[in-house]
Structure formats: C-alpha cells, structure tokens
C-alpha cells in the first residue's frame, strides 16, 4: 500500500472503531492494526516490535502523527486521568472517499475487526495482540505460549493469557483471513 | 578535557573489582561529568575517541559560529544525564507499591546503573562524518548510523565490554543504546521487558530521554540560540517510574505496564522541553542555510567518496571522521579538476544556495529541496498526582495540544536564478499545486488497479 492508501485505511479503522463504541485511542489502533495484518493480511507497511502493552509499531505512531499534521485525524484530549481519543476529520473522510478502490478492498476487513474488538477493553486488546505475537514468533502449545505471554507481561494472569491464546487459535483455525 | 586522569593498567581488573576510581571532567552544560574506571575504558576506546572529530551539528557552525561542538562531549553528557535520571527514579522514596516489582534487587542496582550509562555513552558510535547530513544517500541501501552503531558494539567494542567488571553483553548495550524505535527500524526482533523498556526510555525516550535533553541544552549553549534551554534539573528531579495513565474508562493501573513519567510539579518543565525542541527545530536544525550547506556537503561527498558512498563496514567506518572530509574539501576547492570541486568551493567560499520558495521544473544543479521532518505531536506520558494516581499528560497540559506539527519546507537555489524563480512561482503556483494533486490521485488509482 502506498502512503495515501494506508492513511485512508487507518482513517477507516479509527472511524469504524469509534462507531463500534471503542475508546479509539492510540493503543487501540496499534493493536487492531497489528491483528488486522496478522489475521486478515491487510498489507500495512509497518514493522512491529514487542514493547509496551504488546506489539507496537513506532512507524505506525509516526504515521498517526503525520496524519494529525495533515489534519486527517485529530487527537482529542479527555478529562483526566484518561488518555486521548482519536477522531477522523472531514478531511480524513474525504480521503476515504477519494480512495474508493482501497476502501472497497479492505472495507470488510475493517468491519470485521471493528465488530470483533469494538467493545473490548484495551487490556483485552493487549492480551490478544501479545498472544498473536507469541503464536507467530515463538510457537509451542497453547500453555507454552500463554506462559511466554506472562513472562514478558507479568501483569497478565496466566488464565487470561490462556484465554487469549485460545481465542487467537480459534480464529486461525476458522481461517478468518 | 582539562583534567588529566590517572593511568590505569589493563591488568587492574582485580583492583577495580574492589574499588573503582572515580574521574571527573569539566563540562560546559553539566559543570562536571563523573565516570569510573570501567566507563573510562569505554571512553578511551578507539570508536569513542573518534567522536572527538565528528561535529554534533555538521556544518551548522558556518551559520552559528559557536556550533563547533562534537559528538564526544554530547555522549559524555548523555551518560551524565542518564546516570542522574537513573539515580532519581531508583530512589526508595520514588518507588510506589504499584511498580515496586519492576526494579532489580538492591545488589544489582549498581550493575544496571553502569549498563544504562555505558549504553548512553555508546548511543552515537555509528555516526558518519558530519553526523546526520544526507545519511540516506551516503550509505548502502538498508544501512544507517544506527545499524553501524549496532555492528560496532558487536565487533570493535566487544573486547572492551568483555574486560569490564563485571563483563557486559554487547547485545544488551546495543538494545538500550538504540532503543525500541531503532530496533524496530533495523528489524532486529528484540524484545524489551518492562525494566529494559524503562532503561531505554531513560536514554532515547521521546518525552524525557537523556539524549534529547542533552542535545537541546548543548546545542542551545553552543549556537547561542537560547530557545533550547529548559529547567532540566527540576524535570529530572520529578521523574519517576509509575503505571501508565488509564487508556480508557475502566482501565485500571493493575492492567498497565510501568513507564517513565513525571510528578505534577514537573509538568511545566516537560512542556518547556517540548517548546525548546520546537524552537530549536525551527531556528537551528532546519535553518534553511544549514539545509543548503547539507546539500553542498552531500554533493561533495558523492563526488569524492569511492563508489559514491561511505562503507558500512565498522572498521572502515572508524577510520574516517570530519577531519578527513574537511581536508578533502579544502583541497578540492582549490583544484577545478578535482572531484567535487564545485560543492567544495561553495562551502569554502560561502557561496551557498538561498531560499527560493519553489521547485523549478529543470536546472537540478541550481536548485534543491530542503525540508524538516514532520515535527510530530507531543508524546503522552503519565503524570503522578499527589493522590498517587497516574494521569495522562495530554489531559492536563494546554501546551502539548497546540504546537504546530507540520514540517518546514524550502526550495533552495543559486543566487543567479532566484529572481527568475520568484517570477515563475507567481505565474505557476496554483497550476503546480493542482497538477501535483491530480498526479498523486492518478498514481494511486493506477497502483490500486495494478494491485487488484
């Protein structure tokens, strides 16, 4: 995907997540984009690294910042103590409309991820994305992968990690791509 | 360095284990920089000494005469600040129950302090002559100064790290020196546990990294552009490890990872740091004349270097610094037949390009584009409230949300065609913009169809 097409998809992702009652902060976009790439093959060009709160891409962060500079999305500060939410501007909507081919190609993927994750909390997203990371990069049984999740993210309980690995396995078995 | 340091025999490992000596040098920013025998061994290494001859701000001294400082003293300063930050955030009174588990045991505190300071020392080892100038076009594809830093740490510095007490792993030093952003960029597949993520933030973090603090303070001092100053003493004193701020309603501290944040009393200092960066970008780092000199320097290097690029090999990299390039520029400027004569002469004679506003459709030898990167929005970080809760800085600060984020862009041109360019701009500006937009859309549509 070239940059404008990617920005249109990201704008579509932000908008759909917010429409699906997601808080829609940067963490939500990071995890949703990672899971979209891994589970649906959406060809984002970003590299991800296992970092804070699971898989994270500095390139994606930079692109979101650039989209703010280009007035495609806005960052809306929230009342303390909460982190900001992202919001698609009218200019961002215009970009989505302009990139008709791109949006029709990936629209179903975006609808799918928003339907899956829209009402999930950010802690859930962290567990799912980290479970996905371990599945892709480490392998092993469900219990082994869950143990790896808790090893790198000690604040995640083993039972929650196991549930997340199980959910990822179910999606992969169902061949959601 | 004004202080002559005592000689240490290489075989003194046993002695150092018992009692490491502390050395000090004067520094114009931090007054004194202190280091022990192990850190001195790193400082005395060939890769680190090379930084004495790499300008921190490339040819900026041709615009700001005082800006002739080098990567060497900057790297010492980053070590000093990283040590101060580490000492602050590991103080017992700074450890709340919510994050207590992330800290290493007391017996390992000294080891980790040396690790973070050593990584801070080494973070710039891979810089090309004249630092950042035109790096993308002067190295083989896929190589940048961070990649070279990584390679130097694994090769040239390995024996130095092996001889420290205790020895240090080059991979760990590299991981912290580069941080997660560069590790991702280099495709190193590194994983940062919560403690390592905090240590990397101490060095290269976007919000309070020692690298950023030192270069702003140091560049401000040497250029005389006082915009870069901020109250770093207050900022460092208010830093602490704390849970991330809630990312949404219902998100609790127990579900978040510890991170580096500041207490409420340091928020204005953090705002001042961000403002300092904003002003320094506009006034110094992307000053249009500096961009013009970067272009001339790049043109010279492309003409002068064998194969038109610097080598990526660590040993070859370490054999070259600014002194070699400056001598070559001087010689080439005198000899009309020498490779790179024209850009060398422009640098020596100060016949640099000037801002001309717009790109010309032809005449590449007389026109260049210069631009800053997008400045990006303010980083979010947690603020420690008096009641012990973590609060998003973006919700507290009016400053963070209001700084311009767009890049500065210039077209630079030879003086002989500036008038003609300005006339051309007046006539064609709207058509140029329309054509650029249309071309971009068509290009995208074609690509989309091609990919379908």
């Amino acid at each position: 995907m070239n940059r404008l097409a990617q920005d249109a998809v990201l704008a579509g992702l932000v908008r759909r997540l917010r429409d699906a009652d997601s808080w829609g902060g940067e963490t939500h976009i990071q995890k949703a984009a990672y899971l979209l790439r891994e589970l649906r093959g959406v060809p984002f060009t970003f590299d991800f690294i296992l970092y804070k709160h699971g898989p994270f891409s500095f390139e994606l962060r930079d692109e979101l910042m650039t989209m703010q500079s280009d007035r495609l999305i806005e960052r809306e500060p929230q009342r303390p103590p909460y982190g900001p939410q992202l919001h698609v501007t009218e200019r961002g909507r215009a970009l989505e409309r302009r990139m008709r081919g791109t949006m029709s190609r990936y629209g179903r993927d975006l609808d799918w991820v928003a339907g899956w994750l829209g009402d999930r909390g950010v802690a859930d997203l962290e567990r799912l994305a980290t479970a996905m990371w371990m599945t892709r990069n480490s392998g092993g049984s469900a219990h082994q992968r869950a143990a790896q999740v808790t090893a790198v993210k000690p604040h995640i309980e083993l039972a929650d990690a196991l549930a997340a690995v199980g959910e990822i396995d179910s999606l992969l078995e169902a061949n959601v791509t | 360095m004004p202080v002559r340091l005592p000689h240490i025999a290489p075989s003194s490992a046993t002695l150092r284990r018992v009692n490491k000596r502390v050395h000090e040098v004067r520094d114009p920013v931090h007054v004194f920089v202190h280091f022990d025998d192990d850190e001195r061994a790193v400082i005395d290494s060939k890769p680190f000494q090379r930084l004495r001859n790499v300008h921190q701000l490339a040819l900026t001294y041709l615009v700001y005469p005082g800006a002739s400082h080098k990567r060497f003293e900057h790297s010492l300063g980053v070590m000093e600040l990283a040590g101060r930050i580490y000492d602050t955030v590991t103080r017992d009174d700074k450890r709340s129950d919510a994050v207590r588990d992330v800290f290493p045991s007391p017996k390992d505190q000294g080891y980790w302090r040396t690790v973070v300071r050593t990584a801070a020392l080494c973070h710039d080892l891979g810089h090309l002559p004249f630092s950042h100038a035109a790096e993308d076009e002067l190295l083989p594809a896929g190589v940048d100064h961070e990649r070279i830093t990584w390679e130097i740490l694994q090769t040239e510095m390995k024996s130095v790290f092996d001889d420290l007490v205790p020895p240090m792993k080059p991979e760990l030093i590299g991981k912290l020196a580069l941080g997660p952003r560069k590790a991702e960029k280099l495709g190193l597949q590194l994983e940062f546990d919560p403690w390592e993520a905090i240590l990397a933030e101490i060095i290269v973090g976007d919000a309070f990294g020692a690298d950023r603090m030192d270069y702003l303070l140091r560049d401000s001092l040497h250029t005389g552009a006082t915009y870069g100053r901020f109250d770093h003493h207050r900022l460092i004193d208010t830093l602490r490890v704390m849970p991330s701020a809630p990312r949404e309603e219902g998100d609790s501290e127990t579900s978040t990872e510890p991170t580096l944040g500041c207490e409420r009393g340091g928020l204005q200092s953090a705002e001042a740091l961000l403002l300092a960066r904003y002003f320094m970008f506009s006034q110094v780092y992307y000053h249009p004349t500096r961009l013009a000199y970067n272009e001339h320097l790049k043109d010279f290097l492309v003409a002068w270097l064998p194969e038109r690029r610097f080598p990526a090999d660590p040993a070859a990299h370490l054999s070259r610094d600014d002194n070699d390039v400056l001598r070559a520029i001087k010689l080439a400027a005198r000899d009309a037949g020498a490779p790179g004569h024209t850009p060398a002469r422009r640098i020596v004679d100060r016949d640099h390009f000037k801002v001309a506003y717009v790109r010309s459709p032809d005449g590449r030898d007389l026109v260049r584009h210069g631009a800053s990167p997008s400045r990006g929005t303010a980083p979010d970080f947690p603020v420690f409230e008096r009641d012990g809760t973590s609060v998003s800085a973006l919700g507290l600060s009016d400053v963070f949300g209001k700084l311009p984020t767009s890049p500065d862009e210039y077209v630079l041109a030879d003086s002989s065609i500036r008038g003609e360019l300005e006339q051309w701009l007046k006539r064609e500006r709207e058509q140029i913009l329309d054509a650029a937009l249309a071309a971009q859309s068509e290009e995208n549509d074609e690509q989309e169809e091609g990919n379908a």
Side-chain angles (χ1 to χ4, degrees):
Chain A
M1 263 193 294
N2 63 42
R3 193 179 145 229
L4 269 188
Q6 193 156 253
D7 285 356
V9 174
L10 287 172
L13 176 61
V14 172
R15 188 169 56 77
R16 283 169 170 83
L17 283 174
R18 291 293 302 271
D19 288 349
D21 291 332
S22 166
W23 182 265
E26 186 195 338
T27 306
H28 304 73
I29 306 305
Q30 286 270 355
K31 307 315 169 203
Y34 175 71
L35 290 164
L36 263 178
R37 193 184 74 171
E38 296 301 319
L39 288 169
R40 305 281 289 197
V42 175
F44 290 122
T45 59
F46 316 115
D47 287 325
F48 285 82
I49 188 169
L50 190 61
Y51 187 50
K52 287 181 184 172
H53 311 302
F56 181 90
S57 170
F58 285 91
E59 290 173 340
L60 173 53
R61 165 172 282 182
D62 290 345
E63 193 56 38
L64 291 172
M65 287 183 174
T66 301
M67 289 176 70
Q68 290 173 69
S69 296
D70 293 341
R71 315 260 195 288
L72 299 173
I73 57 174
E74 289 174 343
R75 190 162 64 173
E76 299 173 330
Q78 300 300 306
R79 69 184 187 284
Y82 302 111
Q85 294 175 294
L86 296 173
H87 162 78
V88 179
T89 64
E90 183 48 43
R91 196 167 174 172
R93 292 285 293 121
L95 177 65
E96 285 186 67
R97 289 192 289 271
R98 187 173 192 141
M99 307 301 290
R100 286 189 307 275
T102 298
M103 297 315 291
S104 66
R105 189 166 309 120
Y106 302 115
R108 285 181 56 198
D109 301 316
L110 297 175
D111 290 338
W112 173 82
V113 82
W116 177 37
L117 300 177
D119 62 353
R120 307 287 285 264
V122 71
D124 254 0
L125 268 61
E126 176 185 359
R127 287 191 283 268
L128 289 165
T130 309
M132 183 80 247
W133 176 277
M134 290 305 174
T135 300
R136 284 282 188 251
N137 295 285
S138 298
S141 68
H143 202 277
Q144 285 171 326
R145 283 175 282 148
Q148 287 165 340
V149 169
T150 60
V152 296
K153 305 293 170 193
H155 60 282
I156 297 179
E157 299 288 337
L158 182 60
D160 292 333
L162 264 172
V165 169
E167 188 169 350
I168 292 296
D169 283 349
S170 300
L171 290 167
L172 288 170
E173 283 166 19
N175 195 18
V176 295
T177 58
Chain B
M1 289 192 284
V3 176
R4 185 177 292 279
L5 299 170
H7 176 71
I8 302 168
S11 60
S12 62
T14 306
L15 176 63
R16 280 188 283 153
R17 193 191 307 276
V18 176
N19 185 19
K20 291 179 185 175
R21 285 175 292 181
V22 175
H23 313 277
E24 62 185 12
V25 289
R26 288 192 182 274
D27 178 79
V29 177
H30 305 303
V31 187
F32 282 102
V33 171
H34 298 91
F35 47 90
D36 66 19
D37 289 346
D38 279 344
E39 291 156 351
R40 182 176 172 184
V42 176
I43 292 167
D44 284 347
S45 67
K46 180 182 168 187
F48 194 85
Q49 288 293 316
R50 173 182 169 274
L51 298 179
R52 286 182 186 275
N53 298 320
V54 178
H55 285 83
Q56 174 79 10
L57 294 177
L59 293 173
T60 302
Y61 63 83
L62 295 175
V63 184
Y64 292 88
S68 56
H69 53 304
K70 309 298 195 303
R71 291 271 156 192
F72 182 84
E73 51 263 39
H74 164 63
S75 298
L76 290 176
V78 177
M79 175 189 71
E80 176 66 21
L81 287 183
R84 291 184 195 177
I85 296 171
Y86 181 90
D87 292 343
T88 299
V89 302
T90 54
R91 264 173 25 205
D92 199 52
D93 64 294
K94 293 273 190 178
R95 302 184 190 195
S96 63
D97 289 342
V99 298
R100 199 169 292 278
D101 290 346
V102 79
F103 292 98
S105 66
K107 71 178 175 56
D108 292 332
Q109 292 261 344
Y111 164 76
W112 283 107
R113 185 178 192 273
T114 304
V115 166
V116 76
R117 283 168 55 90
T118 303
L121 267 180
C122 294
H123 80 286
D124 270 352
L125 291 183
H127 266 293
L128 295 178
F130 292 102
S131 299
H132 291 287
E135 179 175 289
D136 290 349
E137 299 175 53
L138 295 171
L139 281 168
V143 178
D144 55 20
H145 80 266
E146 286 95 1
R147 168 68 68 184
I148 299 175
T149 298
W150 177 263
E151 297 295 334
I152 290 171
L153 292 174
Q154 314 306 313
T155 55
E156 306 287 333
M157 294 300 291
K158 185 174 184 309
S159 60
V160 177
F161 296 147
D162 284 346
D163 196 37
L164 301 182
V165 183
M168 289 184 190
K169 293 180 178 173
E171 296 82 6
L172 176 61
I173 300 300
K175 189 176 182 178
L176 301 185
L178 296 180
R181 176 187 285 273
K182 304 301 182 189
E184 172 195 307
K185 181 180 168 192
L186 299 181
L188 292 173
Q189 298 290 316
L190 300 176
E191 295 179 357
F192 289 77
D193 67 29
W195 178 239
E196 291 169 340
I198 288 166
L199 295 182
E201 265 189 284
I202 287 176
I203 302 171
V204 293
D206 286 342
F208 318 110
D211 181 27
R212 178 170 290 188
M213 284 195 212
D214 187 84
Y215 78 65
L216 287 172
L217 294 167
R218 195 170 300 277
D219 296 346
S220 173
L221 175 73
H222 286 281
T223 59
T226 54
Y227 315 99
R229 296 180 64 181
F230 58 96
D231 188 353
H232 69 289
H233 298 289
R234 175 64 172 157
L235 180 57
I236 290 174
D237 197 49
T238 61
L239 294 181
R240 63 190 298 150
V241 176
M242 54 197 288
S244 303
R247 294 158 291 177
E248 63 184 9
E249 288 179 1
D251 190 26
S252 71
E253 285 189 356
T254 56
S255 72
T256 62
E257 291 181 35
T259 189
L260 200 58
C262 75
E263 293 156 6
R264 185 64 177 260
L267 185 59
Q268 283 70 37
S269 301
E271 290 175 337
L273 186 156
L274 188 75
L275 286 166
R277 183 167 178 267
Y278 169 74
F279 290 130
M280 288 295 281
F281 263 67
S282 299
Q283 291 290 321
V284 177
Y285 304 138
Y286 291 95
H287 187 292
T289 305
R290 183 190 183 210
L291 296 178
Y293 275 120
N294 279 353
E295 289 295 316
H296 301 319
L297 177 61
K298 181 189 70 183
D299 288 350
F300 170 76
L301 290 168
V302 167
W304 174 69
L305 286 168
E307 301 178 20
R308 304 168 68 85
R309 291 178 190 281
F310 285 108
D313 170 59
H317 167 84
L318 293 173
S319 70
R320 192 174 274 145
D321 60 32
D322 290 13
N323 290 350
D324 303 299
V325 177
L326 282 171
R327 181 171 182 277
I329 288 173
K330 189 175 175 182
L331 293 174
R334 292 179 190 156
D335 178 1
H341 165 72
T342 300
R345 187 199 57 74
R346 284 191 181 279
I347 292 169
V348 170
D349 293 348
R350 301 187 52 76
D351 182 23
H352 58 82
F353 284 5
K354 307 273 195 323
V355 173
Y357 305 115
V358 292
R359 186 195 302 266
S360 170
D362 49 31
R364 166 89 181 149
D365 286 345
L366 297 176
V367 182
R368 292 287 188 283
H369 173 243
S372 71
S374 177
R375 290 193 189 88
T377 52
D380 195 11
F381 55 85
V383 177
F384 190 81
E385 286 284 30
R386 290 183 181 84
D387 64 1
T389 58
S390 299
V391 178
S392 164
L394 294 175
L396 293 175
S397 171
D398 287 334
V399 172
F400 287 150
K402 292 180 179 169
L403 284 178
T405 57
S406 301
D408 298 318
E409 294 195 59
Y410 307 96
V411 170
L412 309 159
D414 185 77
S415 305
S416 64
I417 62 167
R418 278 179 77 201
E420 184 187 347
L421 270 176
E422 286 176 13
Q423 291 301 317
W424 182 77
L425 166 66
K426 282 181 185 169
R427 286 197 314 272
E428 306 289 340
R429 186 172 183 277
E430 293 305 315
Q431 291 92 314
I432 294 167
L433 292 175
D434 288 345
L437 274 175
Q440 198 166 41
S441 295
E442 286 167 13
E443 180 184 291
N444 279 309
D445 288 342
E446 284 168 14
Q447 284 191 9
E448 285 176 22
E449 286 171 17
N451 291 338

